[in-house]
């Protein structure tokens, strides 16, 4: 058990600083932009939440994958590779452990963005007022807010969980590939597909879109895992 916690601790040690700084800087920039929108009273709250640069939160997850990957790069003989080899864990085990750690970071990103949305809502209501149902109306009409908090749409939460887990997986798998001197183009395809999954329109009629995004994410993960395992076996042969 100690080997697993040591592997997880190594991932946290290498990434907690860049992740924390990234999330804080992004949230501060979004907050400043929110407070400095021209003619603020003339725009509905959902318009402001979906307008640029608030929309940069939509590409925050793939950008965070690249940030984490850059923090974990290290080929054979690097300090990261040396530490992992001392733990006597297989590459598969390290990938699984790191996937869970990184998925936790993406859940933290999701929670920070959601908390920011509530803070913006509170700021807007305190300045301009609003009905008791305004929060629910905005959560349903704002595409980004609804992505973060898909009310009355269970599949929306499943989609978000699948995206967080898949982002964690591709980050861990990218680090594994770097240690073994290879790069899987499927990872790049997945990074390009994330914003599409995030920006799908929100509505009950969009149930099949959420299911399609979730299935595509799962297929990408399974496909990448199988391809990587075959590549590793061919290298060992």
């Amino acid at each position: 058990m100690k080997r697993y916690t040591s592997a997880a601790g190594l991932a946290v040690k290498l990434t907690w600083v860049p992740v924390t700084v990234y999330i804080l800087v992004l949230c501060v920039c979004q907050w400043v932009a929110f407070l400095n929108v021209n003619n603020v009273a003339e725009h509905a709250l959902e318009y402001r939440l979906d307008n640029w640069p608030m929309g940069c939160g939509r590409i925050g997850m793939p950008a965070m994958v690249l940030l984490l990957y850059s923090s974990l790069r290290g080929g054979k003989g690097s300090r990261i590779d040396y530490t992992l080899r001392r733990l006597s864990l297989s590459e598969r085990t390290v990938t699984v452990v790191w996937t869970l750690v990184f998925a936790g970071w993406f859940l933290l990103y999701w929670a920070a963005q959601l908390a920011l949305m509530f803070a913006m809502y509170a700021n807007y209501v305190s300045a301009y007022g609003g009905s008791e149902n305004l929060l629910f109306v905005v959560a349903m009409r704002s595409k980004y807010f609804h992505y973060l908090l898909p009310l009355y749409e269970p599949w929306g939460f499943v989609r978000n969980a699948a995206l967080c887990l898949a982002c964690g997986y591709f980050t861990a798998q990218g680090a594994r590939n770097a240690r073994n001197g290879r790069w899987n183009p499927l990872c790049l395809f997945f990074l390009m597909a994330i914003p599409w999954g995030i920006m799908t329109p929100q509505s009950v009629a969009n149930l099949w879109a959420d299911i399609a995004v979730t299935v595509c994410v799962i297929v990408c993960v399974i496909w990448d895992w199988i391809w990587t395992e075959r590549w590793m076996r061919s290298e060992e042969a």
Side-chain angles (χ1 to χ4, degrees):
M1 187 65 183
K2 185 177 180 180
R3 293 182 298 166
Y4 302 105
T5 56
S6 296
L10 176 63
V12 172
K13 180 180 178 181
L14 293 170
T15 57
W16 78 269
V17 171
V19 167
T20 303
V21 172
Y22 172 77
I23 292 176
L24 289 176
V25 170
L26 179 61
C27 288
V28 168
C29 291
Q30 290 174 296
W31 179 256
V32 171
F34 178 82
L35 295 179
N36 289 277
V37 174
N38 295 328
N39 301 321
V40 62
E42 298 179 6
H43 297 302
L45 179 57
E46 59 268 24
Y47 170 83
R48 298 178 63 197
L49 295 180
D50 288 334
N51 196 23
W52 191 93
M54 291 306 305
C56 67
R58 295 187 176 98
I59 62 173
M61 293 180 74
M64 193 164 154
V65 171
L66 297 177
L67 174 67
L68 287 169
Y69 175 73
S70 65
S71 302
L72 297 165
R73 291 188 64 183
K76 288 186 178 296
S78 64
R79 291 183 60 183
I80 298 176
D81 182 62
Y82 174 73
T83 303
L84 291 175
R85 291 184 183 279
R86 286 189 60 187
L87 295 176
S88 300
L89 292 174
S90 67
E91 290 282 5
R92 300 182 189 88
T93 302
V94 173
T95 299
V96 172
V97 172
W98 281 19
T99 294
L100 298 177
V101 172
F102 300 146
W105 286 138
F106 287 102
L107 285 174
L108 177 64
Y109 172 84
W110 168 82
Q113 287 289 294
L114 184 59
L116 182 64
M117 294 296 107
F118 280 112
M120 291 175 176
Y121 164 80
N123 176 271
Y124 184 90
V125 170
S126 64
Y128 305 102
S131 65
E132 296 180 355
N133 297 325
L134 179 61
L135 178 61
F136 296 97
V137 172
V138 172
M140 294 299 294
R141 294 177 61 181
S142 169
K143 292 183 180 181
Y144 188 49
F145 200 165
H146 190 75
Y147 152 71
L148 294 171
L149 188 64
L151 297 176
Y152 309 113
E153 296 183 23
W155 267 102
F157 290 99
V158 175
R159 175 203 61 203
N160 289 351
L163 283 171
C164 288
L165 188 61
C167 284
Y169 167 78
F170 277 103
T171 303
Q173 195 71 294
R176 176 184 181 181
N177 293 339
R179 291 194 302 273
N180 291 279
R182 64 183 292 271
W183 171 256
N184 189 345
L186 182 61
C187 182
L188 180 60
F189 168 79
F190 181 77
L191 294 178
M192 295 171 62
I194 291 176
W196 175 79
I198 291 174
M199 291 184 285
T200 48
Q202 79 287 4
S203 68
V204 177
N206 206 46
L207 169 65
W208 291 109
D210 287 338
I211 295 176
V213 171
T214 304
V215 171
C216 287
V217 166
I218 295 174
V219 169
C220 284
V221 170
I222 295 175
W223 182 19
D224 182 82
W225 179 269
I226 294 174
W227 190 38
T228 300
E229 290 302 311
R230 288 182 176 178
W231 183 86
M232 294 295 293
R233 291 195 190 98
S234 65
E235 287 291 308
E236 295 172 356

